[in-house]
PDB file of all heavy atoms in Angstrom:
ATOM      1  N   ARG R 160     119.633  53.592 235.232  1.00  0.00           N
ATOM      2  CA  ARG R 160     119.819  53.307 236.595  1.00  0.00           C
ATOM      3  C   ARG R 160     120.551  51.941 236.857  1.00  0.00           C
ATOM      4  O   ARG R 160     121.130  51.606 237.880  1.00  0.00           O
ATOM      5  CB  ARG R 160     118.596  53.178 237.368  1.00  0.00           C
ATOM      6  CG  ARG R 160     118.211  54.542 237.876  1.00  0.00           C
ATOM      7  CD  ARG R 160     117.202  54.361 239.084  1.00  0.00           C
ATOM      8  NE  ARG R 160     116.092  53.622 238.705  1.00  0.00           N
ATOM      9  CZ  ARG R 160     115.019  54.043 238.046  1.00  0.00           C
ATOM     10  NH1 ARG R 160     114.799  55.341 237.841  1.00  0.00           N
ATOM     11  NH2 ARG R 160     113.942  53.286 237.775  1.00  0.00           N
ATOM     12  N   PHE R 161     120.484  51.057 235.767  1.00  0.00           N
ATOM     13  CA  PHE R 161     121.056  49.648 235.916  1.00  0.00           C
ATOM     14  C   PHE R 161     122.625  49.743 236.186  1.00  0.00           C
ATOM     15  O   PHE R 161     123.417  50.421 235.644  1.00  0.00           O
ATOM     16  CB  PHE R 161     120.709  49.039 234.483  1.00  0.00           C
ATOM     17  CG  PHE R 161     121.441  47.624 234.419  1.00  0.00           C
ATOM     18  CD1 PHE R 161     120.895  46.556 235.126  1.00  0.00           C
ATOM     19  CD2 PHE R 161     122.557  47.337 233.713  1.00  0.00           C
ATOM     20  CE1 PHE R 161     121.450  45.305 235.057  1.00  0.00           C
ATOM     21  CE2 PHE R 161     123.173  46.081 233.699  1.00  0.00           C
ATOM     22  CZ  PHE R 161     122.632  45.138 234.465  1.00  0.00           C
ATOM     23  N   ASP R 162     122.941  48.871 237.120  1.00  0.00           N
ATOM     24  CA  ASP R 162     124.297  48.790 237.620  1.00  0.00           C
ATOM     25  C   ASP R 162     125.162  48.108 236.596  1.00  0.00           C
ATOM     26  O   ASP R 162     125.067  46.812 236.432  1.00  0.00           O
ATOM     27  CB  ASP R 162     124.256  47.973 238.937  1.00  0.00           C
ATOM     28  CG  ASP R 162     125.735  48.081 239.561  1.00  0.00           C
ATOM     29  OD1 ASP R 162     126.694  48.637 238.900  1.00  0.00           O
ATOM     30  OD2 ASP R 162     125.911  47.512 240.697  1.00  0.00           O
ATOM     31  N   ARG R 163     125.952  48.710 235.851  1.00  0.00           N
ATOM     32  CA  ARG R 163     126.760  48.287 234.706  1.00  0.00           C
ATOM     33  C   ARG R 163     127.767  47.182 235.265  1.00  0.00           C
ATOM     34  O   ARG R 163     128.142  46.241 234.442  1.00  0.00           O
ATOM     35  CB  ARG R 163     127.540  49.349 234.017  1.00  0.00           C
ATOM     36  CG  ARG R 163     126.783  50.176 233.063  1.00  0.00           C
ATOM     37  CD  ARG R 163     126.517  49.435 231.743  1.00  0.00           C
ATOM     38  NE  ARG R 163     127.753  49.139 231.092  1.00  0.00           N
ATOM     39  CZ  ARG R 163     128.658  49.970 230.434  1.00  0.00           C
ATOM     40  NH1 ARG R 163     128.265  51.344 230.329  1.00  0.00           N
ATOM     41  NH2 ARG R 163     129.759  49.605 229.986  1.00  0.00           N
ATOM     42  N   SER R 164     128.116  47.237 236.497  1.00  0.00           N
ATOM     43  CA  SER R 164     129.158  46.221 236.911  1.00  0.00           C
ATOM     44  C   SER R 164     128.564  44.800 236.946  1.00  0.00           C
ATOM     45  O   SER R 164     129.354  43.787 236.739  1.00  0.00           O
ATOM     46  CB  SER R 164     129.598  46.571 238.347  1.00  0.00           C
ATOM     47  OG  SER R 164     128.525  46.622 239.281  1.00  0.00           O
ATOM     48  N   LEU R 165     127.203  44.776 237.040  1.00  0.00           N
ATOM     49  CA  LEU R 165     126.660  43.310 236.967  1.00  0.00           C
ATOM     50  C   LEU R 165     126.899  42.749 235.508  1.00  0.00           C
ATOM     51  O   LEU R 165     127.287  41.541 235.411  1.00  0.00           O
ATOM     52  CB  LEU R 165     125.192  43.470 237.157  1.00  0.00           C
ATOM     53  CG  LEU R 165     124.687  43.767 238.508  1.00  0.00           C
ATOM     54  CD1 LEU R 165     123.179  44.041 238.596  1.00  0.00           C
ATOM     55  CD2 LEU R 165     125.135  42.761 239.483  1.00  0.00           C
ATOM     56  N   GLU R 166     126.698  43.538 234.586  1.00  0.00           N
ATOM     57  CA  GLU R 166     126.914  43.227 233.241  1.00  0.00           C
ATOM     58  C   GLU R 166     128.405  42.815 232.954  1.00  0.00           C
ATOM     59  O   GLU R 166     128.729  41.774 232.287  1.00  0.00           O
ATOM     60  CB  GLU R 166     126.435  44.256 232.221  1.00  0.00           C
ATOM     61  CG  GLU R 166     126.227  43.810 230.713  1.00  0.00           C
ATOM     62  CD  GLU R 166     125.789  44.847 229.868  1.00  0.00           C
ATOM     63  OE1 GLU R 166     125.578  46.057 230.414  1.00  0.00           O
ATOM     64  OE2 GLU R 166     125.715  44.686 228.730  1.00  0.00           O
ATOM     65  N   GLU R 167     129.218  43.672 233.438  1.00  0.00           N
ATOM     66  CA  GLU R 167     130.630  43.467 233.228  1.00  0.00           C
ATOM     67  C   GLU R 167     131.116  42.128 233.912  1.00  0.00           C
ATOM     68  O   GLU R 167     131.886  41.396 233.464  1.00  0.00           O
ATOM     69  CB  GLU R 167     131.505  44.556 233.837  1.00  0.00           C
ATOM     70  CG  GLU R 167     131.608  45.795 232.880  1.00  0.00           C
ATOM     71  CD  GLU R 167     131.804  47.085 233.369  1.00  0.00           C
ATOM     72  OE1 GLU R 167     132.256  47.045 234.624  1.00  0.00           O
ATOM     73  OE2 GLU R 167     131.510  48.070 232.685  1.00  0.00           O
ATOM     74  N   ALA R 168     130.514  41.822 235.097  1.00  0.00           N
ATOM     75  CA  ALA R 168     130.818  40.584 235.800  1.00  0.00           C
ATOM     76  C   ALA R 168     130.511  39.526 234.933  1.00  0.00           C
ATOM     77  O   ALA R 168     131.258  38.391 234.782  1.00  0.00           O
ATOM     78  CB  ALA R 168     130.080  40.476 237.078  1.00  0.00           C
ATOM     79  N   ALA R 169     129.305  39.444 234.339  1.00  0.00           N
ATOM     80  CA  ALA R 169     128.870  38.350 233.484  1.00  0.00           C
ATOM     81  C   ALA R 169     129.820  38.180 232.342  1.00  0.00           C
ATOM     82  O   ALA R 169     130.227  37.079 231.928  1.00  0.00           O
ATOM     83  CB  ALA R 169     127.488  38.649 233.020  1.00  0.00           C
ATOM     84  N   ARG R 170     130.292  39.342 231.801  1.00  0.00           N
ATOM     85  CA  ARG R 170     131.202  39.238 230.687  1.00  0.00           C
ATOM     86  C   ARG R 170     132.560  38.757 231.038  1.00  0.00           C
ATOM     87  O   ARG R 170     133.135  37.871 230.383  1.00  0.00           O
ATOM     88  CB  ARG R 170     131.463  40.725 230.015  1.00  0.00           C
ATOM     89  CG  ARG R 170     130.233  41.315 229.521  1.00  0.00           C
ATOM     90  CD  ARG R 170     129.966  41.007 228.111  1.00  0.00           C
ATOM     91  NE  ARG R 170     130.861  41.644 227.107  1.00  0.00           N
ATOM     92  CZ  ARG R 170     131.721  40.954 226.365  1.00  0.00           C
ATOM     93  NH1 ARG R 170     131.777  39.646 226.319  1.00  0.00           N
ATOM     94  NH2 ARG R 170     132.519  41.588 225.443  1.00  0.00           N
ATOM     95  N   ASN R 171     133.033  39.059 232.197  1.00  0.00           N
ATOM     96  CA  ASN R 171     134.280  38.548 232.786  1.00  0.00           C
ATOM     97  C   ASN R 171     134.234  37.014 233.062  1.00  0.00           C
ATOM     98  O   ASN R 171     135.137  36.357 232.898  1.00  0.00           O
ATOM     99  CB  ASN R 171     134.663  39.171 234.079  1.00  0.00           C
ATOM    100  CG  ASN R 171     135.187  40.650 233.764  1.00  0.00           C
ATOM    101  OD1 ASN R 171     135.581  40.896 232.706  1.00  0.00           O
ATOM    102  ND2 ASN R 171     135.074  41.397 234.758  1.00  0.00           N
ATOM    103  N   LEU R 172     133.005  36.619 233.266  1.00  0.00           N
ATOM    104  CA  LEU R 172     132.792  35.095 233.558  1.00  0.00           C
ATOM    105  C   LEU R 172     132.592  34.448 232.306  1.00  0.00           C
ATOM    106  O   LEU R 172     132.327  33.170 232.210  1.00  0.00           O
ATOM    107  CB  LEU R 172     131.608  34.905 234.580  1.00  0.00           C
ATOM    108  CG  LEU R 172     131.822  35.380 235.957  1.00  0.00           C
ATOM    109  CD1 LEU R 172     130.615  35.322 236.700  1.00  0.00           C
ATOM    110  CD2 LEU R 172     133.029  34.619 236.516  1.00  0.00           C
ATOM    111  N   GLY R 173     132.660  35.165 231.099  1.00  0.00           N
ATOM    112  CA  GLY R 173     132.720  34.482 229.733  1.00  0.00           C
ATOM    113  C   GLY R 173     131.402  34.546 229.027  1.00  0.00           C
ATOM    114  O   GLY R 173     131.295  33.980 227.886  1.00  0.00           O
ATOM    115  N   ALA R 174     130.389  35.339 229.578  1.00  0.00           N
ATOM    116  CA  ALA R 174     129.236  35.446 228.680  1.00  0.00           C
ATOM    117  C   ALA R 174     129.510  36.347 227.523  1.00  0.00           C
ATOM    118  O   ALA R 174     130.258  37.407 227.633  1.00  0.00           O
ATOM    119  CB  ALA R 174     128.088  36.069 229.655  1.00  0.00           C
ATOM    120  N   SER R 175     128.847  36.066 226.456  1.00  0.00           N
ATOM    121  CA  SER R 175     128.990  36.949 225.194  1.00  0.00           C
ATOM    122  C   SER R 175     127.943  38.221 225.517  1.00  0.00           C
ATOM    123  O   SER R 175     127.276  38.079 226.448  1.00  0.00           O
ATOM    124  CB  SER R 175     128.468  36.219 223.911  1.00  0.00           C
ATOM    125  OG  SER R 175     126.997  36.172 224.090  1.00  0.00           O
TER     126      SER R 175
END
Side-chain angles (χ1 to χ4, degrees):
Chain R
R160 274 201 306 272
F161 174 74
D162 185 359
R163 279 281 302 284
S164 57
L165 291 175
E166 195 182 354
E167 276 154 22
R170 296 275 286 120
N171 285 339
L172 291 169
S175 73

